[in-house]
C-alpha cells in the first residue's frame, strides 16, 4: 500500500495534499491549513504557541493524519459520485495514462504538458480563464478534459512516443 513512499506517514501526507487539490483546486493550501488548524484545536492543541505549528500536515499526529486522509478520501468519493454521468469527463485511468506518458516517459515539465494538451485540443483554452492559462494551471485543465478528448490526447502522445522509439532504434 505504501509502495514508493519512505513510510506510512509520508504516504498519508502526500495523499492528503493530492486529495486537497482535487477537492479544493486553487484554494487547496488555505483549506488544508484551516482543516489542520481545526483538528489541532478540537484535540485541545494550542495553535498560538511559538512558530505557526499548523503550516502543514506534519503538525498532525499520525492518527490525525490518517483520519484526515480518510475524511478527504470519502469526500472525494462523494464528489465523484455526485457528478452527473452525462458530462462524460475524463476517467481517472485516462488521467493517470496522460501523466505517466508526459511526466515519466517524456519527462516534460508541467508547462510543456499544458501547452501540448492545448495544442492537441485547442477548444479547451476557451473553458479556462486567462490567469489559468498564463499560470499554466494543469489541474483546471485536466478538470475540463472530456473522455473523448482524453482519448485523442492519449493517441497523439502514443504516436509521439512511437516516433521517438523509432528514431532511437535507427
Amino acid at each position: 500500500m505504501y509502495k514508493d513512499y519512505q513510510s506510512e506517514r509520508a504516504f498519508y501526507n502526500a495523499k492528503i495534499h493530492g486529495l486537497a487539490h482535487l477537492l479544493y483546486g486553487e484554494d487547496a493550501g488555505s483549506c488544508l491549513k484551516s482543516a489542520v488548524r481545526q483538528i489541532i484545536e478540537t484535540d485541545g492543541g494550542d495553535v498560538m504557541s511559538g512558530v505557526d505549528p499548523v503550516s502543514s500536515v506534519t503538525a498532525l499526529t499520525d492518527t490525525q493524519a490518517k483520519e484526515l486522509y480518510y475524511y478527504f478520501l470519502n469526500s472525494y468519493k462523494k464528489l465523484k459520485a455526485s457528478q452527473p454521468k452525462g458530462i462524460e469527463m475524463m476517467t481517472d485511468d485516462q488521467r493517470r495514462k496522460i501523466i505517466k506518458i508526459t511526466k515519466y516517459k517524456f519527462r516534460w515539465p508541467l508547462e510543456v504538458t499544458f501547452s501540448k494538451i492545448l495544442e492537441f485540443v485547442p477548444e479547451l483554452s476557451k473553458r479556462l480563464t486567462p490567469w489559468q492559462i498564463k499560470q499554466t494551471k494543469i489541474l483546471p485543465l485536466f478538470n475540463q478534459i472530456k473522455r473523448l478528448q482524453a482519448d485523442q490526447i492519449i493517441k497523439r502522445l502514443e504516436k509521439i512516443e512511437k516516433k521517438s522509439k523509432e528514431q532511437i532504434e535507427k
Side-chain angles (χ1 to χ4, degrees), residues 4-168:
D4 298 330
Y5 292 95
Q6 292 179 354
S7 65
E8 180 180 2
R9 180 56 191 263
F11 168 82
Y12 286 126
N13 289 353
K15 295 299 178 180
I16 286 170
H17 283 281
L19 287 169
H21 281 283
L22 289 173
L23 290 168
Y24 303 110
E26 302 296 324
D27 297 328
S30 61
C31 292
L32 192 55
K33 283 183 182 182
S34 67
V36 169
R37 183 179 300 273
Q38 185 178 14
I39 289 170
I40 290 174
E41 286 175 350
T42 57
D43 285 350
D46 184 14
V47 177
M48 296 304 187
S49 62
V51 180
D52 188 14
V54 290
S55 60
S56 70
V57 294
T58 56
L60 300 174
T61 65
D62 291 345
T63 307
Q64 290 170 332
K66 190 174 185 177
E67 289 172 2
L68 182 60
Y69 164 71
Y70 283 112
Y71 173 75
F72 278 174
L73 184 63
N74 289 333
S75 299
Y76 180 68
K77 286 179 181 178
K78 288 178 188 175
L79 178 70
K80 289 290 275 187
S82 70
Q83 289 179 341
K85 301 297 180 197
I87 294 177
E88 298 295 325
M89 299 310 284
M90 174 171 57
T91 65
D92 289 338
D93 288 336
Q94 289 173 319
R95 182 184 298 251
R96 277 189 224 106
K97 184 142 187 161
I98 291 171
I99 292 169
K100 180 181 174 184
I101 293 171
T102 59
K103 185 175 182 181
Y104 299 109
K105 289 189 179 178
F106 295 158
R107 299 189 190 280
W108 286 349
L110 285 178
E111 294 82 11
V112 174
T113 302
F114 186 88
S115 65
K116 284 294 186 183
I117 289 173
L118 286 181
E119 180 183 315
F120 298 156
V121 189
E123 61 265 15
L124 290 173
S125 64
K126 296 175 187 168
R127 291 189 241 145
L128 297 172
T129 65
W131 181 82
Q132 289 171 333
I133 294 171
K134 186 176 180 182
Q135 298 295 319
T136 62
K137 296 296 182 182
I138 198 85
L139 184 65
L141 176 65
F142 275 4
N143 289 337
Q144 298 299 321
I145 299 174
K146 294 191 167 116
R147 201 173 278 182
L148 293 174
Q149 292 170 330
D151 284 338
Q152 178 185 353
I153 292 166
I154 291 169
K155 285 178 186 175
R156 296 277 303 265
L157 290 171
E158 287 174 341
K159 282 183 183 179
I160 294 171
E161 183 180 16
K162 184 178 175 183
K163 285 182 181 179
S164 67
K165 281 183 182 179
E166 289 174 356
Q167 289 177 351
I168 291 173

